[in-house]
Amino acid sequence: MNWDMISGQWKQLRGRAREAWGDITDDEWDRVAGQRDQMVGLIQSKYGKARAEAEDEVDRWSRGL
């Protein structure tokens, strides 16, 4: 699924993101609003990951949708 589609369907897909990254709050997911760069940055800071690692996780998640 491409990121335009993810952004457009964010309210429905947010639950699936929450399943993958359970430590992120609903308010934080609301701020992400389906934007890839914000999602990568949030996962990077929340979980202490390198940017490349967070990008890989987000890309794997989006391909699985």
Side-chain angles (χ1 to χ4, degrees), residues 15-34:
R16 294 185 68 182
R18 194 177 317 132
E19 290 173 6
W21 298 283
D23 291 341
I24 297 175
T25 67
D26 286 338
D27 287 340
E28 290 169 323
W29 285 127
D30 288 342
R31 284 193 298 271
V32 166

Side-chain angles (χ1 to χ4, degrees), residues 6-64:
I6 291 171
S7 293
Q9 298 178 15
W10 183 245
K11 289 191 186 257
Q12 294 86 358
L13 296 174
R14 186 174 71 169
R16 294 185 68 182
R18 194 177 317 132
E19 290 173 6
W21 298 283
D23 291 341
I24 297 175
T25 67
D26 286 338
D27 287 340
E28 290 169 323
W29 285 127
D30 288 342
R31 284 193 298 271
V32 166
Q35 297 175 2
R36 182 185 180 277
D37 286 340
Q38 288 191 7
M39 189 171 180
V40 168
L42 177 60
I43 291 166
Q44 181 183 7
S45 66
K46 193 77 168 186
Y47 291 92
K49 296 179 181 272
R51 179 133 187 115
E53 185 180 1
E55 287 177 338
D56 287 344
E57 281 188 25
V58 168
D59 290 342
R60 276 193 308 273
W61 175 82
S62 69
R63 283 192 303 267

